[in-house]
Amino acid sequence: MARTVWDSTVGKKTVMAVSGLIMLLYLVVHMIGNLKIFFGAGEFNHYAHWLRTVGEPFMHYEWTLWLVRIVLVAAVVAHATSAYQLSRRDIKARPSKYVHKKPRAGYATRTMRWGGIILGLFIVWHILDLTTGTVHPGFQAGHPYQNVVDTFSTWYGNVIYIVAMLALGLHVRHGFWSAAQTLGVGSRARDRALKTIANALALLLTAGFIAVPVGVMTGLVS
């Protein structure tokens, strides 16, 4: 039954919707955590340490964090795989381009695929930069506040992050509304409310995440 559901277009869209909502929930929590940087190094570093001790003593050190990481990786893989397969299925369904292009799709809709690619590449860079320190000269393990300040003290760190967050905003704006339609929550009566929520979430996440590099650039965080 699971294979039958997965092979269907509706099944793949449902996987995309559920995995997208899981990632959206994580993004909201992650953004709130990031904003702790405005309360100083002690507060931010304490929060980063707390993430590794959540659930103790029942859970061992970092077990909860790794459980969250596993769920997120599974959500990202499921989301990307279903998106790719749906895209390929859509192309096969209409192998020749339309004679007349219909301008009914908004900017966010037209850029969903490229936005997904940008975000995928950003996730890899973000992990290598602030988690493993592989591409971060001067990375200091156990000093997340200083590592964040170092990253956003470079022009390329700011450009990469801000571009990715703008792509995230567009992705959330369309994706939230699309997920609601897929899961049967959307209706003509709720359409305006759902689009308002989608716009608010997109704006909140974009502004919340971009506030950190802006804070470093302006000297508010140093």
Side-chain angles (χ1 to χ4, degrees), residues 48 51-54 59 62-70:
L51 290 175
R52 289 159 173 76
T53 60
V54 173
M59 300 291 281
E62 286 195 342
W63 277 14
T64 302
L65 182 60
W66 275 105
L67 181 61
V68 171
R69 286 170 174 169
I70 291 170

Side-chain angles (χ1 to χ4, degrees), residues 22-213:
I22 290 172
M23 290 186 287
L24 179 60
L25 176 62
Y26 167 77
L27 286 170
V28 172
V29 174
H30 187 42
M31 180 201 68
I32 294 172
N34 280 4
L35 293 177
K36 287 181 176 291
I37 201 167
F38 289 99
F39 294 94
E43 180 83 12
F44 191 72
N45 289 338
H46 176 70
Y47 164 69
H49 176 71
W50 173 79
L51 290 175
R52 289 159 173 76
T53 60
V54 173
E56 288 187 343
F58 178 74
M59 300 291 281
H60 193 61
Y61 183 75
E62 286 195 342
W63 277 14
T64 302
L65 182 60
W66 275 105
L67 181 61
V68 171
R69 286 170 174 169
I70 291 170
V71 171
L72 281 173
V73 169
V76 170
V77 171
H79 197 76
T81 301
S82 54
Y84 174 76
Q85 292 183 357
L86 283 169
S87 177
R88 297 298 302 174
R89 186 170 292 185
D90 182 52
I91 292 172
K92 288 180 180 179
R94 47 180 180 83
S96 58
K97 294 182 178 180
Y98 293 120
V99 176
H100 301 289
K101 293 182 179 180
K102 298 181 179 179
R104 55 189 175 88
Y107 180 76
T109 305
R110 296 196 303 270
T111 57
M112 280 295 285
R113 290 172 187 172
W114 280 108
I117 293 172
I118 290 172
L119 290 172
L121 293 174
F122 170 75
I123 289 171
V124 174
W125 179 84
H126 196 51
I127 291 172
L128 294 177
D129 180 39
L130 291 175
T131 301
T132 66
T134 306
V135 298
H136 187 148
F139 178 82
Q140 301 178 50
H143 295 81
Y145 182 92
Q146 188 58 49
N147 292 331
V148 171
V149 172
D150 285 346
T151 287
F152 297 130
S153 295
T154 62
W155 68 268
Y156 59 85
N158 288 315
V159 170
I160 292 172
Y161 193 86
I162 291 174
V163 169
M165 292 308 99
L166 292 174
L168 173 67
L170 291 174
H171 212 75
V172 169
R173 180 175 177 268
H174 176 75
F176 179 83
W177 181 84
S178 180
Q181 305 305 311
T182 298
L183 297 176
V185 178
S187 67
R188 183 170 296 180
R190 299 173 184 165
D191 193 55
R192 179 175 295 181
L194 288 171
K195 286 184 177 180
T196 300
I197 294 172
N199 289 335
L201 276 172
L203 181 61
L204 176 67
L205 288 171
T206 303
F209 280 118
I210 290 180
V212 178

Side-chain angles (χ1 to χ4, degrees), residues 208-221:
F209 280 118
I210 290 180
V212 178
V214 170
V216 175
M217 285 188 287
T218 58
L220 189 59
V221 176

